[in-house]
Amino acid sequence: MRAHTIGLAVAAAVSLLSSGAALAQSIPTGAAAAKYDAEFNAWLKREIWPEAKKAGVSQKTLEAALTGLTINWKLPDVLVPGQKPPKEQAQSQAEFSSPGAYFSEKRLQGLAATGRSLAATHAATLKRIEATYGVPGNIVIAIWGRESGFGRAKLPNSVIDVLATKAYASTRKDMFRAELIDALKIAESGDVPPSRMMGSWAGALGQPQFMPSSYLKYAVDFDGDGHRDIWNSVPDALASIANYLSKRGWQRDRDWGFEVSIPGDVSCAQEGPDLAKPVSQWAKMGITRVSGKGFPSNDLSADGMMLVPAGRHGPEFVVTPNFYVIKEYNNSDLYALFIGNLADRIAYGGGPFKAEWGNVGSMLRSDVLAMQKALVAKGYDVGKADGLAGFKTRRSLGDWQAKNGLKPTCFPDASLKTKLR
């Protein structure tokens, strides 16, 4: 789960995968469930009430929020006390999906059409938001659409119930305990009563899908009614998204990035935020925008970074630091590319990326992990050796290919399994 937010679309997919494990366990019923609930409430009184009081939460708020809770056994990642967490071996053997599957054209077209309509409806608010925070309205609208379907997605769970359950009975108790205390602080602030603090199965709040810790840092009252209402106020929800991006380092008057064509004689092993160089230098190497337009003049002297999420087998990009700010919202290259592409469709009537995603994603994670370990043994930095091809793995692979007389593709494929050992 991301550190600050978790989108409902992502949450739904993960929930479907995780709920199978949750439901596979024997869910307590009857007297057993009552026993666990009693122990749960005793734990809340013993552990959470005193900690929340030290954080400034009143007795009145605690009674309203934490009285008579029951464990929600249907949540993913919730274990019967004493049960060992499931092993992750199956995941390490699974194929990782082709990046192309992430960019459903039907879905992007639908979001873009609705986004354009809502951008017109809220044009005055978005103009004021951009003036205040420096974040373009099309980026804000794109995140709003991706996270909660423009506020139309259902928020089925009481966040207090979710966080309390996970703080007591999940595999990540400490994280959810901290978020529970922050949710109680929100209730204490008077912005929203505990009974109306609804969110996702992971405890993410409202239309921007903020975790409570992010709500406290970034939620704003933009409609001036005295409450930071990211559930019902569109101005508050949109401005809160912009404030988040601004506080995370959004650079005014810069785009998120550009789809480009990288010449064959330019190494694909130059990607990553740590290898930034002025966009003008990328252009001098022969890298051009696929649109046929030049790079904006204000970008030429500013930093840009190569990004090849499928190596030479898919779309290629030069991205700006703002791309990595979008990743602060959800730490995924594909998420940030989705937001960027959707924002371009909303603002400029853009379409799919020009280059097609090749036949990648059919490798087992265990095979990729073996390649990563082999690269590490040869002195390469692959980042986290986890069976997923992040940018450090991709560029290390490209460097190794070049040094061994192979055409660099900067992406793992089955032909390399016997060569890279």
Side-chain angles (χ1 to χ4, degrees):
M1 193 183 72
R2 72 189 84 168
H4 303 288
T5 66
I6 185 159
L8 288 172
V10 174
V14 176
S15 181
L16 287 173
L17 293 173
S18 303
S19 60
L23 295 175
Q25 71 179 2
S26 178
I27 295 178
T29 58
K35 172 180 174 291
Y36 285 126
D37 286 339
E39 293 172 351
F40 174 44
N41 280 278
W43 173 82
L44 288 169
K45 277 281 182 72
R46 183 176 66 252
E47 298 280 341
I48 301 300
W49 289 55
E51 185 176 345
K53 284 181 178 179
K54 287 182 180 179
V57 182
S58 66
Q59 180 76 14
K60 180 181 178 182
T61 296
L62 289 171
E63 289 176 354
L66 297 181
T67 300
L69 298 187
T70 58
I71 298 173
N72 186 345
W73 299 106
K74 294 183 179 180
L75 294 173
D77 192 38
V78 172
L79 304 173
V80 173
Q83 182 187 44
K84 292 183 179 180
K87 295 181 180 180
E88 296 187 2
Q89 289 180 341
Q91 184 186 33
S92 69
Q93 296 297 323
E95 294 179 357
F96 60 87
S97 299
S98 168
Y102 197 87
F103 299 91
S104 163
E105 183 60 20
K106 181 178 180 181
R107 184 175 183 219
L108 276 161
Q109 286 182 3
L111 287 171
T114 304
R116 282 190 289 270
S117 175
L118 290 172
T121 300
H122 300 291
T125 297
L126 291 169
K127 184 177 181 180
R128 192 160 64 95
I129 285 172
E130 183 165 359
T132 303
Y133 302 106
V135 181
N138 59 319
I139 294 288
V140 174
I141 292 286
I143 291 176
W144 186 34
R146 182 68 176 83
E147 292 296 319
S148 65
F150 308 104
R152 298 169 183 175
K154 293 181 179 179
L155 300 173
N157 298 298
S158 162
V159 164
I160 297 291
D161 290 353
V162 167
L163 295 175
T165 292
K166 286 180 170 283
Y168 180 67
S170 79
T171 59
R172 292 176 289 176
K173 295 183 179 69
D174 290 346
M175 185 196 80
F176 285 109
R177 180 173 178 146
E179 294 292 347
L180 174 59
I181 298 299
D182 283 343
L184 293 169
K185 290 180 185 177
I186 295 169
E188 182 68 24
S189 75
D191 280 334
V192 59
S195 61
R196 288 180 44 224
M197 199 182 299
M198 306 302 288
S200 74
W201 61 265
L205 304 168
Q207 298 183 34
Q209 284 292 275
F210 281 172
M211 293 301 289
S213 56
S214 285
Y215 177 99
L216 291 175
K217 292 176 185 174
Y218 307 112
V220 295
D221 170 23
F222 206 68
D223 61 12
D225 70 352
H227 298 282
R228 296 172 294 174
D229 185 358
I230 62 173
W231 291 267
N232 304 298
S233 168
V234 170
D236 287 6
L238 297 183
S240 295
I241 292 170
N243 185 44
Y244 181 101
L245 296 174
S246 175
K247 292 286 178 62
R248 304 301 289 188
W250 187 272
Q251 296 184 2
R252 285 178 181 259
D253 302 320
R254 292 204 69 190
D255 211 317
W256 65 270
F258 314 93
E259 187 183 358
V260 299
S261 176
I262 301 174
D265 61 352
V266 174
S267 172
C268 55
Q270 301 181 76
E271 71 168 318
D274 55 339
L275 296 181
K277 60 183 67 177
V279 172
S280 59
Q281 289 192 28
W282 295 117
K284 287 178 181 177
M285 296 164 68
I287 295 175
T288 58
R289 295 177 64 182
V290 297
S291 66
K293 299 177 181 177
F295 292 103
S297 57
N298 62 309
D299 277 299
L300 289 173
S301 60
D303 277 347
M305 296 73 120
M306 181 187 289
L307 177 77
V308 286
R312 287 291 192 174
H313 305 301
E316 302 164 337
F317 305 90
V318 168
V319 297
T320 77
N322 287 340
F323 176 86
Y324 294 96
V325 175
I326 296 173
K327 283 188 65 176
E328 292 282 339
Y329 214 97
N330 182 334
N331 188 23
S332 161
D333 286 343
L334 299 185
Y335 175 89
L337 286 172
F338 187 101
I339 295 299
N341 181 258
L342 177 56
D344 287 351
R345 291 171 187 248
I346 290 169
Y348 315 119
F353 296 130
K354 297 293 185 183
E356 294 186 3
W357 299 95
N359 184 25
V360 295
S362 59
M363 294 280 291
L364 295 178
R365 283 185 63 174
S366 54
D367 290 331
V368 179
L369 179 60
M371 290 185 191
Q372 290 173 322
K373 290 179 177 178
L375 286 167
V376 170
K378 297 177 186 296
Y380 289 94
D381 177 11
V382 301
K384 184 179 180 181
D386 56 4
L388 297 174
F391 76 89
K392 288 187 176 180
T393 295
R394 296 193 297 262
R395 74 186 186 194
S396 293
L397 186 58
D399 277 339
W400 175 85
Q401 287 173 311
K403 289 175 182 176
N404 285 271
L406 301 172
K407 183 178 179 180
T409 62
C410 298
F411 206 83
D413 63 66
S415 69
L416 298 173
K417 284 173 27 177
T418 57
K419 298 174 183 175
L420 179 56
R421 288 182 175 178

